[in-house]
Amino acid sequence: MAEVLPHGILEICVVMGASHEKLKEICQAIPKDGIRSHSYLSPEIRSVHVPPFVSKEDSRFGNSDQSFTRISRRRSFKKKKELKYTNPAATNANVDHIETQSEEFSIPSNIDLQGLPQLCFPGELQIETEAKEDRYHFLVFTDVFGTRTYGVAVQFYRLIEEGNSFQHGQTNWNVHNQRMSTLYAPFSVCVISKFPYYTALKDCLSSLMVHAKTCQELDFDHNVRQFAAKLALVPSPPSGTLHLVFNLNPLLIVLPSREDPNYPMADLDIHLPLLCFKPKCILQILTCILMEQRIVFLSADWALLTLVAECFILYLHPLQWQHTYVPILSKEMMDFLMAPTAFLMGCHIDYFKEVKSEIEGLILVNIDEGTITFSNLAATEPDIPEMPSQAAECFAQRIESLQLHYDLELSHLGSSTDISNLRMRRRNWQQNLNLTIQELFLVLVVNMFRDVSDYLNYEYRVFNSEEFLKTRTVSDQPFYKKVLETYIFHSFLKARLSRKMDAFSHMELRICPESNRVKMRDNPRRPTMEQMVMRREYHFDHLVTKRFAASMPNLPVDIWQDFSAEHLSIRKNKSEHAMKKSTKSVRTLKLPEFRSPLNYSSVIAWYTDFINLLSKAINTTGQECSSLLARYYYLRGLAYLMQEKYLEALSDFQNLYKTDLDIFPKELVKKVIGVLPPDQQSQAGRKPELKRLISIMLEKEQNVTASDEHVKKFELPKTHMHQEDFLKRIQESGIVKDVGTILRLFDALTIVNSEKNKLKYRDMTTEQITTTKVVSRSVFYLSAETGHLKQIDPETFRDFYNFWKESEAEAHEVNLPLEVIEYLDKNESVFKLSSAVKTNYGVGKIAMTQKRLFLLKEGRPGYVEISKFRDIMEVQNVSVMFFPLRIPALKIKTALKEPFVGNLKTERDLWQLIVKEMWAGRTMADKHKDPQYIQEALTNVLLMDAVVGCTQSRAIYAASKLAYFDQMRNLVVPKTTLETLKHKINPSADQTSPQAVNALLYAPGNPNYPEEGANANPKLWCALSEGKVVLMDAASWCIQQHCIQVGNSKLNCMLGVDSSQLWIGSQDSCIYIINTCSMSCNKQLTEHCIDVTDMVLEDQGSNLSQKCVYSCSLDGSVICWDVSTLQIKTNFQLSNCYRLTAIKLHNCMLWCCVGDALLEVKKTGQVFRTLMLENPNGSRIFFSCFLVLPGKNQLVTGCADKGEVCFWDMENLSKPWQKIQLQDCSSINCMIFVKNQVWIGSKGLDKANGKIYVIDADKYYVEKELVAHVDMVRALCAAENKYVLSGAGREDGKVAIWKVE
């Protein structure tokens, strides 16, 4: 049982100093030799205190009066230490009789007791003739798995009284000597914890020192044991805004929690390095850490070594130091600096000259002088490049505004006479400063690596480092070349590829401009006009080389050039405001006073007091403070465990599981379940909630599979590729993700490949050709055109890939004059330039952006617009006579000006394909109000260009395989659809293939609070396949959150409970609750046993306590949830129900769709009325969905297997009084009521046809038939009664926005 008990903040407490025998020897030798010959001593361990200090067995065997026993409780290696002490009954006469006893105790596996005395006395241990001031320093221990443990040590001096020393509270020797001098012996107490509570543990030791210096020697060890036992009782608070406070007379000790779970806990003054170093020096040190150098901190103050090193570790969060970390080296450990691998260590400044002159390749950081030097015997300094310039400049500007001196904060305040008030004021100032500094350095890290995600392939876990490096400025490339090869960056990549929502991700969202978030990740990267202007200014100021590469950020083209945010948004977008970090109110919980003496009964009584205190806090805390309640449940569960009340603990953890998953101790709960006695297991089985929790924990333990965390670099293929291999390679390369586009590219490149095969087969006999085909047929398939193997060889792929990358590089080198840039939109980019050609508009190069064609005139720079793509009327291949030659030319007709004719010669056919595809893409985008068509057309033409560039013969024919939109140009969009459709968006933009949109929810936002920035904008929540939730900003229709993962199953329904909670019902029987502020799912409701199909909110007021949610599952179970407590208020089971798909609330009654009937049910579960409908042959009609029209007292039902809509009078449910047959409709999937209209989403008779029908609810006829999806319409939602949004199945995967009239 002991293995499952949670840890307090104390791991071990150790007392060290000179040995008993050595002190005795010194006292006896002083009259002869004086103190000098014995002044330097070797420290030894004098006593060790390891929890638990009391056990139940002590009480059973009558040892309740004994304060402590030391009991092994960890599965770690054992160490035995011979502890020598005299019998308490011994007299001075028999003092030489020493009784040796062996005591066994458990030592934490990452603590080396043999080396601990050296770390607690890193300098010299010396007997003094006068007492010195107490000195504190800090330790960090790291085991082979990288787990860190933290220690705080105090060195203090005690008077060696005449003839006495102390060991375990016993008098050990007695030497009478009238001539003995006054001597002070150094001792050390070290407290070690799993948590980095540097300030709190230092305060604890300060309190101990008050008593240790005044107590008698016989009481010293007892006081230390009492001190350690008290710390062993204190739990560590979970992350959040609840701090723990306990009294350790004379000080109140504060245990801070991580207020923001995205930041590590910082119980130290993290502004110390800012006082020691200039900003430039700090950036140099961070660069050395990022490049994994051999770094040594030096100082005359042992405490600063660890504190400064820890600060630099915190500065780089979430990047983590992966190598050896020993912030304090004693004299005996100096040989550690000879290690050849990367490390971060610290030593005393006295060793500076020796280290610098004798060890090569070290980075020496002098904390006392604020300087960096190098120890290099080769007389050449290591190559440490500078940090990226823009990130460094931003950091330097922000750091100047920090107020780092506390005294300046006190200048206007009066003197305080309350020390507790002074300490609290200083602590609050430091906590606020810590958060500000952590945010400042996080911005620095984000600015360095913010566009790494643009070069990641999430599906194949590939990072394209070469392309990332190419887009860095020349001056920044040396930095990135080194950092990209480090373990630190590799670990950072793993988190990014796993889409971890950590501090980096949240900050990236906060500081990334909205115009940058609008981008689609598939878009080919080209510099925009705005970036060109910035580049010019930057080059002028810094005189860098002419080759352009954006450093921060390097953003793909904005696809919304003709669809501005103001045009697209449902609500007018507010101006961007800098998001300020919200200040959360911090609560404190004072722990009960410790009882004395601390024996088993008093410890149990202390935990009882603690439980009563938490129970009172839970009962008096409002349910709207769910975060605070979760912390109380967590702490009370731990307290119950310490009392071995496992069922009570599991009940609290069950409440925590539903309230806040972020702090749910999953591993601890699994251990508790594993050690439950049989009788308690049976009791838990009789409690539904505990039974469900146990089954979830056991099920998750069985389903745990090792996640793939490796990171790959893209490599060119070395063997022939068939279609599947080619698809994977292209997606890995990051060129394009869309499967359909890749398959068309495969067809194009196989034509290129077949030309090579013709030459190969020309020299082969008929028998060889036949044999080759027969052997290969099982793996490859043959081209219908040539009969050759339809595969792509490595050479063809390499040629295509290289041409694509060369074209990207050439586009970055395009440097348009300002006279030209001013004619273009700031988000336009040049994607292709022709050779210099003669045209009827003049001589120059034809340039193509995503919006238009223009002529870049030669000689004196000039701009002549040829045409916008939407204005083109005709594109023709013509010939221009130039006697005696006919020169191939391209003619473009527009309605606004005379036709353009350019003598493109050999480039003509390619430009014809390119212009027609872009023209068709623009036409399709305008017809379907879908700007993604522009991006797809742009990708197609760039692929055409690369295909033509990597081959000689039949190049145009091969490229024509990619002309997708040109072939769809004549696709007719019905006039009604065209007039009603506002635009379309793609929530699957970051996926390799479209995802079904299973549910939609529109959230209005807070327009009256523009200071909230992007959070004030309306939002659209999209539930996609496999548990993915995408959040879109409805003011700009950019993806704000790419993927919030809630399980791995289909999501059936969503419900906005209030502005901070989104409930999602899943096919895996769970209800997931997303915190809309943190964008994380930290709560789950698990009481349903099968698919959660629908939810409805009963809102009786503005407070959460006045709201409840009814949820239903496929098996007929209905549960009513208290929103504030997440507890079940009522629940019932519909009898003989196997398909409960939807519920509605009307007039305090629940309407339930159970497949072949609609049931009106009382809240108690009693069926009040039944609605059924039969076919002419007598069989029942199945309903798929229904609506309640409150103002009309009507029901509207939709059929699951045919396109029939029925209107029912709720007073007479015997038969529908109005039926409407929908044309070309095979089934109805969803419906909503907006502005006296019933909007119906359906599946057409053609399975690839999603239709929407709009029915007038007064006249009962179909007003409109809308066609905008190529797959069935799965979801509908309304936006402010002005728009309706529809989501389609996976063949389409898009959301259409419709105007409501």
Side-chain angles (χ1 to χ4, degrees):
M1 291 288 185
E3 285 81 1
V4 306
L5 297 181
H7 294 283
I9 63 171
L10 178 75
E11 280 288 292
I12 184 171
C13 179
V14 185
V15 179
M16 287 153 288
S19 67
H20 159 74
E21 291 81 4
K22 195 64 178 177
L23 291 178
K24 178 179 179 181
E25 179 184 336
I26 290 175
C27 291
Q28 292 173 343
I30 282 176
K32 300 178 182 179
D33 304 329
I35 192 174
R36 293 184 180 179
S37 61
H38 301 280
S39 57
Y40 294 102
L41 308 174
S42 297
E44 295 183 4
I45 292 178
R46 299 179 64 93
S47 61
V48 180
H49 309 279
V50 184
F53 295 94
V54 298
S55 70
K56 199 171 185 178
E57 286 71 17
D58 299 334
S59 177
R60 289 176 181 173
F61 292 105
N63 296 331
S64 58
D65 295 333
Q66 181 179 342
S67 295
F68 304 99
T69 60
R70 190 174 289 111
I71 297 166
S72 176
R73 61 177 280 257
R74 296 180 182 81
R75 294 177 179 175
S76 59
F77 68 89
K78 304 287 185 179
K79 285 193 175 183
K80 295 183 179 181
K81 182 172 178 63
E82 297 294 329
L83 302 178
K84 300 180 180 180
Y85 58 91
T86 59
N87 191 317
T91 63
N92 294 339
N94 60 2
V95 69
D96 291 331
H97 175 70
I98 305 295
E99 180 183 356
T100 302
Q101 293 189 10
S102 176
E103 186 173 2
E104 184 181 271
F105 50 87
S106 173
I107 305 299
S109 58
N110 57 338
I111 304 299
D112 179 13
L113 279 184
Q114 295 179 352
L116 187 59
Q118 298 175 11
L119 293 174
C120 291
F121 291 95
E124 301 287 353
L125 190 155
Q126 184 177 358
I127 299 295
E128 301 288 346
T129 56
E130 60 182 24
K132 290 189 175 181
E133 190 175 5
D134 300 346
R135 296 187 66 87
Y136 294 81
H137 66 276
F138 310 92
L139 305 172
V140 179
F141 311 92
T142 308
D143 63 14
V144 293
F145 302 105
T147 304
R148 290 176 184 164
T149 308
Y150 307 89
V152 180
V154 56
Q155 293 183 32
F156 62 98
Y157 286 81
R158 282 183 56 91
L159 174 67
I160 303 179
E161 297 180 4
E162 183 177 349
N164 289 333
S165 177
F166 61 91
Q167 178 79 15
H168 294 282
Q170 307 300 328
T171 302
N172 297 301
W173 45 268
N174 191 358
V175 177
H176 294 281
N177 190 345
Q178 301 297 329
R179 299 171 53 195
M180 182 174 176
S181 305
T182 301
L183 300 179
Y184 292 88
F187 296 92
S188 178
V189 177
C190 182
V191 176
I192 298 175
S193 173
K194 286 186 175 294
F195 312 98
Y197 290 124
Y198 293 115
T199 301
L201 293 179
K202 178 182 176 181
D203 290 345
C204 292
L205 286 173
S206 299
S207 294
L208 173 65
M209 288 300 100
V210 172
H211 303 287
K213 288 183 176 181
T214 57
C215 71
Q216 296 295 320
E217 293 174 355
L218 295 178
D219 298 328
F220 177 82
D221 202 57
H222 174 76
N223 287 343
V224 174
R225 290 199 303 272
Q226 288 275 346
F227 166 79
K230 291 175 182 177
L231 294 188
L233 298 180
V234 178
S236 174
S239 62
T241 56
L242 179 67
H243 297 183
L244 297 184
V245 179
F246 61 95
N247 186 16
L248 210 58
N249 191 38
L251 295 178
L252 275 178
I253 311 300
V254 177
L255 280 185
S257 62
R258 289 185 301 150
E259 293 181 28
D260 190 333
N262 294 314
Y263 291 92
M265 185 173 62
D267 187 29
L268 73 165
D269 300 347
I270 67 172
H271 70 290
L272 290 177
L274 303 181
L275 300 175
C276 300
F277 302 99
K278 294 181 179 179
K280 182 178 180 180
C281 193
I282 287 176
L283 294 178
Q284 289 177 332
I285 297 171
L286 291 176
T287 301
C288 294
I289 295 175
L290 285 172
M291 294 182 180
E292 298 180 342
Q293 299 292 312
R294 299 161 66 211
I295 305 169
V296 183
F297 288 97
L298 300 103
S299 176
D301 189 339
W302 294 106
L304 281 179
L305 291 175
T306 300
L307 293 178
V308 171
E310 280 288 282
C311 287
F312 278 103
I313 296 295
L314 290 172
Y315 289 166
L316 286 177
H317 179 79
L319 280 75
Q320 298 178 348
W321 178 257
Q322 305 285 320
H323 298 277
T324 304
Y325 179 49
V326 188
I328 286 185
L329 293 175
S330 64
K331 181 179 180 180
E332 294 80 5
M333 301 166 66
M334 292 300 293
D335 58 331
F336 285 16
L337 297 178
M338 303 295 292
T341 57
F343 58 71
L344 199 161
M345 300 186 188
C347 68
H348 200 274
I349 193 67
D350 290 346
Y351 302 108
F352 178 80
K353 292 182 179 179
E354 180 182 350
V355 170
K356 184 176 181 180
S357 61
E358 296 184 8
I359 305 177
E360 182 180 357
L362 299 183
I363 309 295
L364 304 178
V365 181
N366 190 327
I367 297 174
D368 300 338
E369 297 182 2
T371 59
I372 299 178
T373 55
F374 307 97
S375 69
N376 197 321
L377 300 181
T380 57
E381 293 185 356
D383 182 19
I384 307 297
E386 292 186 359
M387 191 169 283
S389 55
Q390 293 188 23
E393 290 171 6
C394 176
F395 170 79
Q397 292 173 1
R398 294 192 63 186
I399 204 171
E400 290 178 356
S401 63
L402 288 179
Q403 174 56 268
L404 301 176
H405 300 282
Y406 179 59
D407 288 345
L408 296 178
E409 297 289 324
L410 301 178
S411 58
H412 65 286
L413 299 177
S415 301
S416 176
T417 58
D418 186 348
I419 187 173
S420 298
N421 181 54
L422 284 174
R423 284 167 51 83
M424 180 189 68
R425 185 184 299 171
R426 175 65 169 80
R427 187 185 307 112
N428 292 340
W429 176 85
Q430 188 63 56
Q431 288 175 351
N432 292 332
L433 180 62
N434 283 357
L435 287 175
T436 302
I437 294 175
Q438 284 179 297
E439 183 175 291
L440 186 150
F441 279 94
L442 181 58
V443 170
L444 173 66
V445 173
V446 171
N447 285 340
M448 284 190 287
F449 303 111
R450 67 191 303 172
D451 48 348
V452 163
S453 57
D454 294 338
Y455 300 85
L456 296 178
N457 186 311
Y458 294 94
E459 183 177 7
Y460 296 101
R461 299 189 68 84
V462 173
F463 172 58
N464 198 328
S465 57
E466 292 183 3
E467 297 306 314
F468 177 80
L469 279 174
K470 286 180 182 178
T471 56
R472 307 303 96 191
T473 58
V474 174
S475 60
D476 293 343
Q477 284 185 5
F479 172 85
Y480 287 107
K481 283 180 181 178
K482 290 196 172 186
V483 170
L484 263 56
E485 300 299 324
T486 62
Y487 286 101
I488 292 178
F489 185 76
H490 187 77
S491 177
F492 172 76
L493 280 182
K494 287 182 179 179
R496 306 282 73 75
L497 287 168
S498 300
R499 299 181 184 273
K500 185 177 181 181
M501 285 305 299
D502 54 12
F504 182 93
S505 302
H506 286 289
M507 181 59 71
E508 190 176 26
L509 285 174
R510 286 178 57 195
I511 68 176
C512 184
E514 183 177 303
S515 59
N516 294 352
R517 295 200 303 266
V518 174
K519 65 188 179 182
M520 292 294 184
R521 295 180 185 270
D522 292 311
N523 244 12
R525 302 180 184 92
R526 300 294 188 272
T528 64
M529 298 301 108
E530 184 178 28
Q531 290 173 331
M532 281 191 184
V533 174
M534 293 173 61
R535 179 180 66 186
R536 283 174 173 273
E537 296 172 355
Y538 185 79
H539 281 199
F540 179 78
D541 293 338
H542 296 81
L543 300 177
V544 296
T545 61
K546 68 177 182 179
R547 175 177 175 83
F548 167 72
S551 174
M552 182 197 72
N554 173 44
L555 300 171
V557 66
D558 183 355
I559 69 166
W560 308 101
Q561 292 81 8
D562 286 353
F563 297 82
S564 64
E566 289 77 8
H567 171 70
L568 291 176
S569 61
I570 287 178
R571 174 179 293 163
K572 186 174 180 180
N573 192 10
K574 302 291 182 181
S575 59
E576 281 293 324
H577 292 261
M579 292 181 65
K580 297 181 180 180
K581 194 174 183 69
S582 60
T583 55
K584 303 176 182 178
S585 59
V586 176
R587 301 288 188 93
T588 58
L589 177 69
K590 190 174 184 300
L591 303 184
E593 295 291 333
F594 299 108
R595 304 193 178 200
S596 183
L598 281 177
N599 51 32
Y600 177 77
S601 59
S602 64
V603 168
I604 294 299
W606 186 88
Y607 280 118
T608 301
D609 293 342
F610 190 25
I611 290 171
N612 293 336
L613 177 67
L614 290 167
S615 300
K616 181 179 179 180
I618 290 172
N619 294 332
T620 57
T621 301
Q623 297 297 336
E624 64 275 4
C625 302
S626 61
S627 177
L628 188 60
L629 279 174
R631 273 76 195 159
Y632 291 151
Y633 284 132
Y634 175 92
L635 293 171
R636 193 171 70 175
L638 297 185
Y640 276 133
L641 281 184
M642 298 306 296
Q643 289 190 331
E644 298 186 6
K645 296 180 179 180
Y646 298 119
L647 292 183
E648 290 86 346
L650 286 178
S651 295
D652 275 339
F653 291 141
Q654 164 65 18
N655 289 327
L656 177 61
Y657 186 81
K658 295 189 299 185
T659 309
D660 196 337
L661 278 177
D662 288 343
I663 62 172
F664 181 74
K666 180 172 62 175
E667 296 303 321
L668 178 62
V669 172
K670 287 181 180 179
K671 290 180 181 179
V672 173
I673 293 172
V675 300
L676 277 179
D679 58 329
Q680 295 190 26
Q681 288 183 9
S682 60
Q683 292 181 45
R686 291 193 292 270
K687 297 181 178 181
E689 290 192 351
L690 289 187
K691 182 179 179 181
R692 180 63 176 165
L693 177 66
I694 292 173
S695 65
I696 290 174
M697 291 295 103
L698 297 179
E699 179 183 354
K700 287 188 175 181
E701 189 171 17
Q702 295 172 359
N703 295 336
V704 169
T705 56
S707 59
D708 182 11
E709 292 189 347
H710 71 285
V711 180
K712 297 191 299 183
K713 291 185 178 180
F714 175 71
E715 295 180 354
L716 292 171
K718 298 179 181 178
T719 59
H720 286 66
M721 293 167 288
H722 54 79
Q723 193 180 75
E724 291 181 0
D725 293 334
F726 179 78
L727 174 65
K728 179 180 178 182
R729 288 286 183 174
I730 289 292
Q731 288 181 337
E732 282 184 358
S733 71
I735 292 176
V736 63
K737 292 181 180 179
D738 181 66
V739 174
T741 304
I742 296 175
L743 295 181
R744 291 191 291 273
L745 177 61
F746 179 79
D747 289 339
L749 289 180
T750 50
I751 295 174
V752 176
N753 209 62
S754 67
E755 295 301 313
K756 297 180 180 179
N757 288 336
K758 284 182 180 179
L759 299 176
K760 181 177 70 173
Y761 285 118
R762 186 178 301 167
D763 300 327
M764 296 173 64
T765 65
T766 303
E767 183 179 354
Q768 288 174 325
I769 295 174
T770 305
T771 302
T772 302
K773 292 180 182 179
V774 171
V775 170
S776 304
R777 193 169 295 158
S778 60
V779 179
F780 306 114
Y781 55 95
L782 302 181
S783 169
E785 242 179 39
T786 64
H788 300 149
L789 296 175
K790 201 167 184 183
Q791 56 179 319
I792 296 174
D793 59 59
E795 294 77 14
T796 301
F797 188 94
R798 184 188 64 240
D799 293 343
F800 165 78
Y801 180 81
N802 289 339
F803 190 89
W804 175 274
K805 294 304 176 183
E806 288 170 3
S807 299
E808 261 190 358
E810 290 172 1
H812 281 291
E813 292 178 353
V814 173
N815 195 6
L816 299 181
L818 292 175
E819 295 83 355
V820 174
I821 292 177
E822 66 184 7
Y823 287 96
L824 304 174
D825 294 342
K826 67 177 184 178
N827 290 320
E828 280 189 88
S829 302
V830 174
F831 287 89
K832 185 167 176 58
L833 276 174
S834 72
S835 303
V837 297
K838 181 181 178 181
T839 74
N840 60 331
Y841 287 7
V843 177
K845 295 180 179 180
I846 300 175
M848 182 195 78
T849 72
Q850 65 270 44
K851 188 174 182 178
R852 74 188 84 209
L853 295 168
F854 67 90
L855 184 67
L856 184 60
K857 299 185 72 173
E858 290 201 336
R860 184 177 181 182
Y863 169 90
V864 179
E865 181 165 311
I866 298 172
S867 177
K868 291 184 173 67
F869 288 115
R870 62 160 46 100
D871 297 331
I872 294 176
M873 298 179 62
E874 186 179 0
V875 179
Q876 290 180 314
N877 277 350
V878 297
S879 297
V880 176
M881 289 297 299
F882 187 77
F883 186 81
L885 302 175
R886 297 181 67 87
I887 301 175
L890 185 68
K891 185 176 183 179
I892 302 175
K893 292 183 179 181
T894 66
L896 304 178
K897 53 174 36 175
E898 64 173 309
F900 167 83
V901 179
N903 301 349
L904 284 162
K905 302 179 183 178
T906 57
E907 298 180 61
R908 181 194 64 178
D909 293 339
L910 174 60
W911 273 94
Q912 183 200 29
L913 283 176
I914 287 175
V915 174
K916 291 178 72 174
E917 181 71 5
M918 290 298 294
W919 174 27
R922 169 56 66 188
T923 302
M924 293 284 291
D926 290 342
K927 284 183 178 180
H928 294 267
K929 310 295 179 63
D930 189 349
Q932 192 181 10
Y933 286 143
I934 306 168
Q935 179 233 342
E936 292 174 356
L938 185 58
T939 300
N940 291 341
V941 301
L942 293 179
L943 292 174
M944 292 178 190
D945 188 37
V947 169
V948 172
C950 70
T951 186
Q952 298 295 327
S953 58
R954 304 188 74 193
I956 299 301
Y957 174 68
S960 66
K961 296 291 185 180
L962 292 158
Y964 176 71
F965 289 103
D966 190 36
Q967 300 171 12
M968 298 178 61
R969 179 195 310 278
N970 297 323
L971 185 64
V972 177
V973 178
K975 181 181 179 181
T976 306
T977 298
L978 195 60
E979 293 173 347
T980 309
L981 180 63
K982 184 175 175 64
H983 55 273
K984 294 176 74 175
I985 55 178
N986 183 15
S988 305
D990 197 40
Q991 309 294 324
T992 57
S993 58
Q995 304 285 311
V997 182
N998 296 313
L1000 292 169
L1001 180 69
Y1002 176 82
N1006 297 307
N1008 296 324
Y1009 298 95
E1011 65 274 6
E1012 295 186 10
N1015 286 339
N1017 295 336
K1019 303 290 188 297
L1020 177 65
W1021 295 86
C1022 308
L1024 307 183
S1025 307
E1026 299 174 349
K1028 297 182 180 69
V1029 179
V1030 171
L1031 175 62
M1032 306 196 75
D1033 188 329
S1036 61
W1037 295 119
C1038 66
I1039 295 179
Q1040 182 173 325
Q1041 192 77 29
H1042 274 277
C1043 180
I1044 302 173
Q1045 194 71 39
V1046 287
N1048 297 297
S1049 302
K1050 176 185 173 184
L1051 304 177
N1052 296 322
C1053 53
M1054 292 195 291
L1055 180 67
V1057 175
D1058 63 7
S1059 60
S1060 63
Q1061 287 189 46
L1062 174 69
W1063 290 31
I1064 302 177
S1066 173
Q1067 200 173 44
D1068 64 7
S1069 77
C1070 289
I1071 297 175
Y1072 297 94
I1073 301 178
I1074 291 181
N1075 185 322
T1076 58
C1077 299
S1078 64
M1079 300 301 173
S1080 61
C1081 177
N1082 58 357
K1083 300 177 184 179
Q1084 292 182 20
L1085 305 178
T1086 58
E1087 278 66 17
H1088 285 288
C1089 299
I1090 199 170
D1091 310 35
V1092 178
T1093 53
D1094 201 5
M1095 296 179 291
V1096 64
L1097 175 67
E1098 183 176 29
D1099 193 349
Q1100 297 176 348
S1102 58
N1103 296 329
L1104 284 180
S1105 58
Q1106 297 174 298
K1107 298 180 180 181
C1108 61
V1109 171
Y1110 288 89
S1111 64
C1112 66
S1113 53
L1114 205 60
D1115 60 356
S1117 172
V1118 178
I1119 298 177
C1120 177
W1121 303 93
D1122 187 319
V1123 172
S1124 59
T1125 63
L1126 301 182
Q1127 300 292 329
I1128 298 177
K1129 296 180 70 174
T1130 59
N1131 66 304
F1132 58 85
Q1133 177 75 40
L1134 296 176
S1135 59
N1136 300 320
C1137 175
Y1138 307 101
R1139 191 174 177 79
L1140 176 54
T1141 57
I1143 56 172
K1144 305 291 180 187
L1145 189 64
H1146 177 64
N1147 288 340
C1148 297
M1149 301 288 283
L1150 288 171
W1151 287 84
C1152 305
C1153 178
V1154 295
D1156 59 354
L1158 254 64
L1159 307 179
E1160 186 180 15
V1161 182
K1162 295 181 179 180
K1163 292 182 179 179
T1164 59
Q1166 179 182 357
V1167 177
F1168 184 66
R1169 288 190 293 174
T1170 301
L1171 180 153
M1172 292 185 295
L1173 189 63
E1174 294 184 350
N1175 287 310
N1177 60 7
S1179 62
R1180 286 188 180 182
I1181 293 176
F1182 279 81
F1183 301 111
S1184 59
C1185 53
F1186 72 100
L1187 283 177
V1188 178
L1189 308 183
K1192 298 178 177 294
N1193 202 32
Q1194 294 177 355
L1195 281 176
V1196 185
T1197 60
C1199 298
D1201 51 4
K1202 61 180 180 179
E1204 185 175 83
V1205 179
C1206 298
F1207 285 79
W1208 305 73
D1209 186 346
M1210 299 183 72
E1211 301 297 330
N1212 180 14
L1213 300 180
S1214 60
K1215 65 178 181 178
W1217 68 280
Q1218 188 72 40
K1219 290 185 179 181
I1220 300 175
Q1221 186 65 42
L1222 305 178
Q1223 294 184 355
D1224 301 325
C1225 177
S1226 62
S1227 65
I1228 297 172
N1229 300 315
C1230 51
M1231 57 176 63
I1232 60 171
F1233 183 70
V1234 184
K1235 276 192 175 179
N1236 210 41
Q1237 294 176 336
V1238 178
W1239 287 62
I1240 297 171
S1242 68
K1243 179 181 179 181
L1245 293 177
D1246 181 356
K1247 69 175 183 178
N1249 187 11
K1251 298 186 70 174
I1252 295 175
Y1253 300 87
V1254 182
I1255 297 178
D1256 188 310
D1258 286 333
K1259 300 178 181 179
Y1260 306 107
Y1261 78 98
V1262 178
E1263 285 188 61
K1264 298 178 182 178
E1265 293 185 17
L1266 307 175
V1267 181
H1269 296 289
V1270 296
D1271 200 348
M1272 69 172 69
V1273 178
R1274 289 182 172 272
L1276 291 171
C1277 78
E1280 303 176 4
N1281 282 332
K1282 296 180 181 179
Y1283 303 94
V1284 168
L1285 297 88
S1286 60
R1290 66 177 308 157
E1291 294 299 321
D1292 182 282
K1294 294 185 178 180
V1295 174
I1297 294 93
W1298 308 88
K1299 293 177 286 188
V1300 177
E1301 298 175 353

